[in-house]
Amino acid sequence: QSVLTQPPSVSGAPGQRVTISCTGSSSNIGAGYDVHWYQQLPGTAPKLVIYRNSNRPSGVPDRISGSKSGTSASLAITGLQAEDEADYYCQSYDSSLSGSGVFGTGTRVTVL
Amino acid sequence: QGQLAQSGAEVKKPGASVKVSCKASGYTFISYVITWVRQAPGQGLEWMGRIYVDNGNTHYAQKFQGRVTMTTDTSTTTAYMELRGLRSDDTAVYFCARATSSYEGDHFDYWGQGTLVTVSS
């Protein structure tokens, strides 16, 4: 099981704002390690949408933003659109697992 | 623009081994780290390990220690992941991804398309 916990699902109507939490501990997010976020559409590879807590790669709309505080991080999507419907995963590093990369449990975003 | 192209789907019997390839193009292969991630059907992403292409050093998740070997061939800019002693719960899509730096907590900017490995008797 993952050491980074996300809500299984969040939903919102078009135009609304949704947030996804990623809760870790003192050996990963709380230790200062960066958090990154990926969007995965069905049957495709994950796509990076936020890196190093709050940075957007080129081409990712500014409707998507990230933040980090303490032992948690969050991804926010404002002005929700149908194309945002996907699974989202956070990713970080954990020093207690012999130094391993770790992913969150994943969150399905549904546009109502 | 970098790309990672993986080998095709595999069907294996329990106890067998599988070797998945990941050919890199469009960037300096030796300057980056390749990570392997898998995703069982309907499940989340699972980090398997990484290989530092410049020196061949590897770091595997504890769960796969002793069963997985990651290698690279710099002459063909190809990375490989071999998993031995396959079990039914190894059925998954296996992804390779490029880490943007040698910092172990860094992100993955390029991903392969994934390789489905099915383990069935």
Side-chain angles (χ1 to χ4, degrees), chain A residues 47-87:
Chain A
K47 171 191 170 186
L48 181 71
V49 292
I50 291 289
Y51 66 97
R52 295 176 191 162
N53 308 315
S54 59
N55 297 279
R56 270 185 309 275
S58 173
V60 174
D62 59 7
R63 303 184 293 104
I64 296 177
S65 62
S67 63
K68 175 189 152 185
S69 178
T71 58
S72 296
S74 291
L75 181 78
I77 308 174
T78 59
L80 198 62
Q81 299 181 7
E83 67 195 45
D84 299 324
E85 189 160 287
D87 294 325

Side-chain angles (χ1 to χ4, degrees), chain B:
Chain B
Q1 184 75 346
Q3 288 189 349
L4 299 173
Q6 298 184 224
S7 48
E10 303 259 15
V11 179
K12 297 292 183 181
K13 294 194 181 301
S17 299
V18 68
K19 192 169 186 177
V20 178
S21 69
C22 169
K23 180 166 176 59
S25 61
Y27 72 91
T28 304
F29 183 60
I30 203 168
S31 297
Y32 293 85
V33 176
I34 293 290
T35 290
W36 290 88
V37 175
R38 78 176 186 179
Q39 186 171 37
Q43 303 299 309
L45 302 172
E46 181 174 29
W47 184 86
M48 297 181 68
R50 67 172 74 86
I51 180 164
Y52 296 82
V53 178
D54 59 347
N55 59 21
N57 286 348
T58 54
H59 183 185
Y60 304 136
Q62 283 185 329
K63 175 177 181 176
F64 300 102
Q65 290 271 5
R67 276 212 306 146
V68 70
T69 301
M70 296 176 187
T71 57
T72 61
D73 182 342
T74 55
S75 68
T76 60
T77 66
T78 302
Y80 299 91
M81 186 284 300
E82 181 180 34
L83 190 61
R84 300 176 294 279
L86 290 169
R87 307 184 290 253
S88 58
D89 62 358
D90 291 317
T91 293
V93 176
Y94 290 76
F95 295 100
C96 60
R98 186 186 85 159
T100 54
S101 75
S102 60
Y103 160 49
E104 291 171 325
D106 220 338
H107 54 287
F108 313 130
D109 56 354
Y110 299 151
W111 290 71
Q113 80 275 22
T115 297
L116 174 62
V117 175
T118 303
V119 182
S120 174
S121 55

